[in-house]
Amino acid sequence: DFGRPALARYGRFHARVEERTLGEEPISGAELEQMQRHAELTRWTSDNRSCIQGTLHRVARIVNPPTGDILGLTFRVGREQVGVTLPLGDQLEEGLSILLL
């Protein structure tokens, strides 16, 4: 977020989330703009979300509506989970609707 040091949160499913500060200097508006420009993002949606092309990673941004300045970026790392859909194989092959929560 603008004006704060960069922060990383990570953890595994059902595990305690670790939090680490990635330096002491606060993030500037220019750095947020640079991250947005160089991340090879898809188009921003109306709710300020995007994806990094060719990955499962998503990006969300907080924008100051009057100025359009970026106040924060959140990068979420997606990982493939092999075998998760195996129990749903029959339903998927039949084309049935499935709701996962």
Side-chain angles (χ1 to χ4, degrees):
D1 292 342
F2 176 75
R4 297 181 183 177
L7 181 68
R9 291 185 184 106
Y10 56 93
R12 297 212 176 264
F13 188 67
H14 291 301
R16 188 171 151 255
V17 174
E18 299 280 333
E19 198 171 278
R20 292 221 176 133
T21 302
L22 304 176
E24 296 178 18
E25 294 295 317
I27 298 293
S28 69
E31 289 172 313
L32 290 170
E33 289 288 344
Q34 182 181 12
M35 283 186 266
Q36 176 182 259
R37 272 196 313 275
H38 295 290
E40 296 184 30
L41 301 173
T42 59
R43 289 186 182 185
W44 291 101
T45 62
S46 61
D47 62 351
N48 287 307
R49 295 174 191 223
S50 184
C51 295
I52 298 176
Q53 294 178 7
T55 71
L56 297 173
H57 310 328
R58 296 178 302 161
V59 182
R61 68 180 176 179
I62 301 169
V63 178
N64 183 355
T67 65
D69 293 339
I70 299 171
L71 301 178
L73 292 172
T74 301
F75 290 80
R76 296 174 193 250
V77 176
R79 293 185 180 89
E80 178 183 12
Q81 299 293 316
V82 179
V84 171
T85 60
L86 288 177
L88 304 173
D90 293 338
Q91 290 84 0
L92 292 170
E93 287 178 10
E94 292 178 29
L96 298 175
S97 296
I98 300 173
L99 174 64
L100 301 174
L101 302 176

